[in-house]
Amino acid sequence: MPGQLRRKAPLPVPERPFLALGLEGSANKFGAGVIKHSENGSTSVLSNIRHTYITPPGEGFQPRDTALHHREWALKVIKQCLIQAGVSIHDLDCICFTKGPGMGAPLQSVAIVARMLALMFDKPLVGVNHCVGHIEMGREITGAQNPVVLYVSGGNTQVIAYSRQCYRIFGETLDIAVGNCLDRFARVIDLSNDPSPGYNIEQEAKRGKRLLPLPYATKGMDISLSGILTSVEAYTMDKRFRRDGKPRENDNDDIITPADLCFSLQETVFAMLVEITERAMAHIGSKEVLIVGGVGCNERLQDMMGIMAKERGGQVFATDEREAK
């Protein structure tokens, strides 16, 4: 399970508390949060409010519709965020926003809101790299010192480590991201998008009883997921597949349920992620793993990574769904 350590901030100690408003909207969630940087170098999250654009089962979220959602909810979420933090927008020292990577139209909506507020209230505007934001938030929340980072989300799957003043990618997906793989399969078997397809696959997988064979595609430090997605989708066309999970009158025990497919998909994909993360740990000599991104909330992934890290005398750090997305 995630560890908790405290580290000394490498930045100069501020002479007074600094308040930053952060706006995020790279995908189907619009989020706003206020962070306080204290004089002693510590930081604290004063508020963290989000609203999610949820589509019907079997459907994904389109850029245009997602951007309209962000524009509709932006000011409501920001207002609630400031109220929860107990501060006024005049008290803020800067306004931060997700600069990218992400979906173009939703990112544009967030940038417009951030620039409008910065101009109206004469606040500095700070663009934040989406990936670095995930990593730095994870390090701040967990206290990880110098970890190998597994960044797994709907649009990214990367193994990252810090070296020579920048983050360097040691391995990544060669095609689709792990979150995208899970989301697309959730649509195939008509799982709900509320609260998220990946979460519902995780819950469905807990009821799985069969580990079905799927391609195991690690290529050095990289992985490939498109073939696994095609293979697991093919099982839904198998005559043994029962969409409702219940055997028919003349069935024997040889049936395939959606829970079995979710279980098999998770176990195979997560084993690949653990393998390439362990290789990165061996390469740089690290004893820490930090899991960030939306898929990083998955408890099964955390457990599998924890087993590997324990065998190496290491430790796993992870965030929950409040900070991971």
Side-chain angles (χ1 to χ4, degrees):
M1 292 302 294
Q4 293 289 333
L5 295 173
R6 299 310 305 168
R7 62 186 177 87
K8 185 177 180 180
L11 299 177
V13 177
E15 297 178 356
R16 62 176 180 81
F18 276 79
L19 295 175
L21 171 68
L23 304 178
E24 208 289 312
S26 57
N28 65 325
K29 290 180 175 62
F30 180 88
V34 175
I35 293 185
K36 178 182 178 180
H37 297 259
S38 302
E39 299 96 319
N40 62 3
S42 65
T43 59
S44 55
V45 179
L46 302 184
S47 61
N48 181 16
I49 306 296
R50 295 173 300 168
H51 193 276
T52 305
Y53 173 53
I54 297 175
T55 55
E59 297 182 15
F61 49 90
Q62 300 298 320
R64 179 179 179 275
D65 298 332
T66 307
L68 291 174
H69 165 270
H70 290 359
R71 295 183 187 186
E72 177 184 353
W73 282 92
L75 297 183
K76 302 174 188 176
V77 170
I78 293 170
K79 182 178 179 180
Q80 187 179 354
C81 168
L82 294 174
I83 292 174
Q84 186 179 95
V87 300
S88 163
I89 196 166
H90 299 285
D91 300 325
L92 300 174
D93 293 287
C94 67
I95 296 175
C96 311
F97 71 101
T98 304
K99 195 173 182 179
M103 299 174 66
L107 283 173
Q108 186 180 47
S109 294
V110 176
I112 289 172
V113 172
R115 289 167 183 158
M116 176 195 71
L117 293 175
L119 289 172
M120 287 181 62
F121 298 98
D122 192 26
K123 302 294 181 182
L125 190 62
V126 181
V128 178
N129 180 281
H130 184 192
C131 307
V132 175
H134 268 294
I135 297 170
E136 290 300 324
M137 176 59 75
R139 292 181 62 201
E140 179 59 40
I141 294 298
T142 65
Q145 297 285 334
N146 184 31
V148 169
V149 180
L150 177 64
Y151 175 26
V152 279
S153 67
N156 298 274
T157 300
Q158 297 172 327
V159 178
I160 302 169
Y162 193 79
S163 176
R164 298 181 181 178
Q165 304 301 308
C166 69
Y167 285 106
R168 301 181 185 273
I169 299 172
F170 282 75
E172 60 186 336
T173 177
L174 297 174
D175 36 52
I176 61 175
V178 60
N180 183 248
C181 177
L182 297 174
D183 291 355
R184 286 168 63 177
F185 183 64
R187 294 200 289 271
V188 170
I189 57 176
D190 293 325
L191 288 182
S192 172
N193 291 322
D194 187 12
S196 69
Y199 174 81
N200 292 323
I201 279 190
E202 179 184 0
Q203 303 312 308
E204 190 77 6
K206 293 177 180 178
R207 302 191 293 109
K209 299 178 180 178
R210 295 184 64 181
L211 182 61
L212 298 162
L214 291 171
Y216 189 91
T218 56
K219 303 175 185 294
M221 288 294 297
D222 299 325
I223 63 173
S224 175
L225 296 170
S226 57
I228 297 174
L229 178 61
T230 301
S231 297
V232 75
E233 286 179 356
Y235 276 114
T236 64
M237 306 301 293
D238 193 294
K239 63 181 181 181
R240 298 170 294 169
F241 179 67
R242 301 292 179 262
R243 187 171 289 273
D244 59 3
K246 300 177 181 179
R248 296 174 185 168
E249 184 176 348
N250 298 324
D251 281 341
N252 53 27
D253 293 334
D254 187 23
I255 66 169
I256 299 172
T257 67
D260 293 334
L261 295 180
C262 291
F263 172 70
S264 302
L265 180 61
Q266 271 200 172
E267 293 297 304
T268 304
V269 170
F270 292 170
M272 292 161 54
L273 294 174
V274 170
E275 178 182 336
I276 62 173
T277 304
E278 183 174 16
R279 289 179 178 174
M281 290 178 70
H283 182 73
I284 70 171
S286 175
K287 296 292 185 181
E288 297 178 342
V289 178
L290 172 63
I291 309 175
V292 299
V295 182
C297 304
N298 189 295
E299 293 181 355
R300 179 55 182 158
L301 175 59
Q302 294 179 18
D303 290 343
M304 293 174 68
M305 197 68 71
I307 293 171
M308 179 274 291
K310 185 177 180 181
E311 291 176 350
R312 298 184 61 87
Q315 193 174 11
V316 173
F317 300 84
T319 53
D320 62 23
E321 56 88 21
R322 292 172 298 173
E323 289 90 21
K325 300 180 182 180

